[in-house]
PDB file of all heavy atoms in Angstrom:
ATOM      1  N   SER B1557     -22.049   3.159 -13.217  1.00  0.00           N
ATOM      2  CA  SER B1557     -23.345   2.478 -13.318  1.00  0.00           C
ATOM      3  C   SER B1557     -23.837   2.107 -11.921  1.00  0.00           C
ATOM      4  O   SER B1557     -23.067   2.072 -10.958  1.00  0.00           O
ATOM      5  CB  SER B1557     -23.208   1.226 -14.179  1.00  0.00           C
ATOM      6  OG  SER B1557     -22.312   0.311 -13.581  1.00  0.00           O
ATOM      7  N   THR B1558     -25.105   1.855 -11.829  1.00  0.00           N
ATOM      8  CA  THR B1558     -25.740   1.427 -10.566  1.00  0.00           C
ATOM      9  C   THR B1558     -25.240   2.267  -9.399  1.00  0.00           C
ATOM     10  O   THR B1558     -24.582   1.776  -8.458  1.00  0.00           O
ATOM     11  CB  THR B1558     -25.462  -0.068 -10.300  1.00  0.00           C
ATOM     12  OG1 THR B1558     -25.577  -0.816 -11.513  1.00  0.00           O
ATOM     13  CG2 THR B1558     -26.472  -0.612  -9.296  1.00  0.00           C
ATOM     14  N   LEU B1559     -25.540   3.530  -9.456  1.00  0.00           N
ATOM     15  CA  LEU B1559     -25.028   4.470  -8.463  1.00  0.00           C
ATOM     16  C   LEU B1559     -25.407   4.086  -7.039  1.00  0.00           C
ATOM     17  O   LEU B1559     -26.512   3.611  -6.773  1.00  0.00           O
ATOM     18  CB  LEU B1559     -25.543   5.873  -8.779  1.00  0.00           C
ATOM     19  CG  LEU B1559     -24.861   6.587  -9.947  1.00  0.00           C
ATOM     20  CD1 LEU B1559     -25.677   7.802 -10.377  1.00  0.00           C
ATOM     21  CD2 LEU B1559     -23.446   6.990  -9.574  1.00  0.00           C
ATOM     22  N   GLU B1560     -24.447   4.322  -6.146  1.00  0.00           N
ATOM     23  CA  GLU B1560     -24.655   4.117  -4.720  1.00  0.00           C
ATOM     24  C   GLU B1560     -24.490   5.465  -4.007  1.00  0.00           C
ATOM     25  O   GLU B1560     -23.853   6.379  -4.530  1.00  0.00           O
ATOM     26  CB  GLU B1560     -23.648   3.101  -4.169  1.00  0.00           C
ATOM     27  CG  GLU B1560     -23.728   1.743  -4.839  1.00  0.00           C
ATOM     28  CD  GLU B1560     -22.668   0.778  -4.337  1.00  0.00           C
ATOM     29  OE1 GLU B1560     -21.848   1.180  -3.476  1.00  0.00           O
ATOM     30  OE2 GLU B1560     -22.677  -0.391  -4.798  1.00  0.00           O
ATOM     31  N   LEU B1561     -25.034   5.549  -2.784  1.00  0.00           N
ATOM     32  CA  LEU B1561     -24.928   6.801  -2.035  1.00  0.00           C
ATOM     33  C   LEU B1561     -23.469   7.217  -1.861  1.00  0.00           C
ATOM     34  O   LEU B1561     -23.130   8.395  -1.923  1.00  0.00           O
ATOM     35  CB  LEU B1561     -25.594   6.664  -0.667  1.00  0.00           C
ATOM     36  CG  LEU B1561     -27.110   6.441  -0.670  1.00  0.00           C
ATOM     37  CD1 LEU B1561     -27.613   6.284   0.767  1.00  0.00           C
ATOM     38  CD2 LEU B1561     -27.837   7.584  -1.364  1.00  0.00           C
ATOM     39  N   GLY B1562     -22.608   6.220  -1.673  1.00  0.00           N
ATOM     40  CA  GLY B1562     -21.184   6.491  -1.454  1.00  0.00           C
ATOM     41  C   GLY B1562     -20.447   7.018  -2.668  1.00  0.00           C
ATOM     42  O   GLY B1562     -19.286   7.398  -2.559  1.00  0.00           O
ATOM     43  N   ASP B1563     -21.116   7.042  -3.810  1.00  0.00           N
ATOM     44  CA  ASP B1563     -20.491   7.586  -5.014  1.00  0.00           C
ATOM     45  C   ASP B1563     -20.581   9.104  -5.069  1.00  0.00           C
ATOM     46  O   ASP B1563     -19.994   9.734  -5.958  1.00  0.00           O
ATOM     47  CB  ASP B1563     -21.145   6.990  -6.272  1.00  0.00           C
ATOM     48  CG  ASP B1563     -20.947   5.496  -6.380  1.00  0.00           C
ATOM     49  OD1 ASP B1563     -19.944   4.982  -5.835  1.00  0.00           O
ATOM     50  OD2 ASP B1563     -21.813   4.832  -6.995  1.00  0.00           O
ATOM     51  N   SER B1564     -21.295   9.688  -4.131  1.00  0.00           N
ATOM     52  CA  SER B1564     -21.375  11.145  -4.064  1.00  0.00           C
ATOM     53  C   SER B1564     -19.973  11.700  -3.814  1.00  0.00           C
ATOM     54  O   SER B1564     -19.327  11.336  -2.820  1.00  0.00           O
ATOM     55  CB  SER B1564     -22.309  11.589  -2.942  1.00  0.00           C
ATOM     56  OG  SER B1564     -23.638  11.210  -3.215  1.00  0.00           O
ATOM     57  N   ALA B1565     -19.517  12.543  -4.699  1.00  0.00           N
ATOM     58  CA  ALA B1565     -18.134  13.009  -4.630  1.00  0.00           C
ATOM     59  C   ALA B1565     -17.911  14.090  -5.673  1.00  0.00           C
ATOM     60  O   ALA B1565     -18.773  14.350  -6.517  1.00  0.00           O
ATOM     61  CB  ALA B1565     -17.153  11.856  -4.886  1.00  0.00           C
ATOM     62  N   LEU B1566     -16.711  14.670  -5.591  1.00  0.00           N
ATOM     63  CA  LEU B1566     -16.236  15.553  -6.656  1.00  0.00           C
ATOM     64  C   LEU B1566     -15.363  14.694  -7.563  1.00  0.00           C
ATOM     65  O   LEU B1566     -14.395  14.077  -7.108  1.00  0.00           O
ATOM     66  CB  LEU B1566     -15.422  16.699  -6.064  1.00  0.00           C
ATOM     67  CG  LEU B1566     -14.835  17.705  -7.057  1.00  0.00           C
ATOM     68  CD1 LEU B1566     -15.940  18.478  -7.781  1.00  0.00           C
ATOM     69  CD2 LEU B1566     -13.883  18.670  -6.348  1.00  0.00           C
ATOM     70  N   TYR B1567     -15.729  14.636  -8.837  1.00  0.00           N
ATOM     71  CA  TYR B1567     -14.954  13.862  -9.796  1.00  0.00           C
ATOM     72  C   TYR B1567     -14.100  14.823 -10.623  1.00  0.00           C
ATOM     73  O   TYR B1567     -14.616  15.739 -11.272  1.00  0.00           O
ATOM     74  CB  TYR B1567     -15.877  13.013 -10.672  1.00  0.00           C
ATOM     75  CG  TYR B1567     -16.475  11.884  -9.872  1.00  0.00           C
ATOM     76  CD1 TYR B1567     -17.681  12.061  -9.189  1.00  0.00           C
ATOM     77  CD2 TYR B1567     -15.818  10.664  -9.761  1.00  0.00           C
ATOM     78  CE1 TYR B1567     -18.212  11.040  -8.414  1.00  0.00           C
ATOM     79  CE2 TYR B1567     -16.344   9.640  -8.993  1.00  0.00           C
ATOM     80  CZ  TYR B1567     -17.536   9.838  -8.313  1.00  0.00           C
ATOM     81  OH  TYR B1567     -18.058   8.825  -7.535  1.00  0.00           O
ATOM     82  N   LEU B1568     -12.817  14.569 -10.579  1.00  0.00           N
ATOM     83  CA  LEU B1568     -11.857  15.466 -11.216  1.00  0.00           C
ATOM     84  C   LEU B1568     -11.142  14.744 -12.348  1.00  0.00           C
ATOM     85  O   LEU B1568     -10.747  13.582 -12.190  1.00  0.00           O
ATOM     86  CB  LEU B1568     -10.821  15.936 -10.197  1.00  0.00           C
ATOM     87  CG  LEU B1568     -11.345  16.812  -9.058  1.00  0.00           C
ATOM     88  CD1 LEU B1568     -10.422  16.754  -7.856  1.00  0.00           C
ATOM     89  CD2 LEU B1568     -11.482  18.256  -9.540  1.00  0.00           C
ATOM     90  N   CYS B1569     -10.959  15.430 -13.447  1.00  0.00           N
ATOM     91  CA  CYS B1569     -10.073  14.874 -14.448  1.00  0.00           C
ATOM     92  C   CYS B1569      -8.833  15.742 -14.521  1.00  0.00           C
ATOM     93  O   CYS B1569      -8.871  16.945 -14.229  1.00  0.00           O
ATOM     94  CB  CYS B1569     -10.758  14.711 -15.801  1.00  0.00           C
ATOM     95  SG  CYS B1569     -10.745  16.129 -16.876  1.00  0.00           S
ATOM     96  N   ALA B1570      -7.735  15.121 -14.858  1.00  0.00           N
ATOM     97  CA  ALA B1570      -6.453  15.810 -14.947  1.00  0.00           C
ATOM     98  C   ALA B1570      -5.838  15.528 -16.308  1.00  0.00           C
ATOM     99  O   ALA B1570      -5.852  14.399 -16.788  1.00  0.00           O
ATOM    100  CB  ALA B1570      -5.511  15.359 -13.833  1.00  0.00           C
ATOM    101  N   SER B1571      -5.298  16.570 -16.888  1.00  0.00           N
ATOM    102  CA  SER B1571      -4.723  16.501 -18.226  1.00  0.00           C
ATOM    103  C   SER B1571      -3.199  16.557 -18.116  1.00  0.00           C
ATOM    104  O   SER B1571      -2.646  17.319 -17.321  1.00  0.00           O
ATOM    105  CB  SER B1571      -5.268  17.699 -19.019  1.00  0.00           C
ATOM    106  OG  SER B1571      -4.539  17.981 -20.172  1.00  0.00           O
ATOM    107  N   SER B1572      -2.550  15.733 -18.916  1.00  0.00           N
ATOM    108  CA  SER B1572      -1.094  15.702 -18.905  1.00  0.00           C
ATOM    109  C   SER B1572      -0.594  15.543 -20.333  1.00  0.00           C
ATOM    110  O   SER B1572      -1.266  14.916 -21.161  1.00  0.00           O
ATOM    111  CB  SER B1572      -0.618  14.532 -18.036  1.00  0.00           C
ATOM    112  OG  SER B1572       0.768  14.326 -18.141  1.00  0.00           O
ATOM    113  N   LEU B1573       0.592  16.078 -20.613  1.00  0.00           N
ATOM    114  CA  LEU B1573       1.109  16.029 -21.972  1.00  0.00           C
ATOM    115  C   LEU B1573       1.172  14.595 -22.484  1.00  0.00           C
ATOM    116  O   LEU B1573       0.621  14.256 -23.538  1.00  0.00           O
ATOM    117  CB  LEU B1573       2.492  16.679 -22.008  1.00  0.00           C
ATOM    118  CG  LEU B1573       3.100  16.922 -23.388  1.00  0.00           C
ATOM    119  CD1 LEU B1573       2.229  17.891 -24.180  1.00  0.00           C
ATOM    120  CD2 LEU B1573       4.516  17.483 -23.260  1.00  0.00           C
ATOM    121  N   ALA B1574       1.852  13.732 -21.743  1.00  0.00           N
ATOM    122  CA  ALA B1574       1.996  12.343 -22.182  1.00  0.00           C
ATOM    123  C   ALA B1574       1.870  11.370 -21.020  1.00  0.00           C
ATOM    124  O   ALA B1574       2.055  10.182 -21.193  1.00  0.00           O
ATOM    125  CB  ALA B1574       3.343  12.137 -22.884  1.00  0.00           C
TER     126      ALA B1574
END
Side-chain angles (χ1 to χ4, degrees):
Chain B
S1557 62
T1558 319
L1559 284 166
E1560 301 177 359
L1561 295 178
D1563 297 333
S1564 294
L1566 179 65
Y1567 289 89
L1568 295 157
C1569 86
S1571 163
S1572 171
L1573 190 62

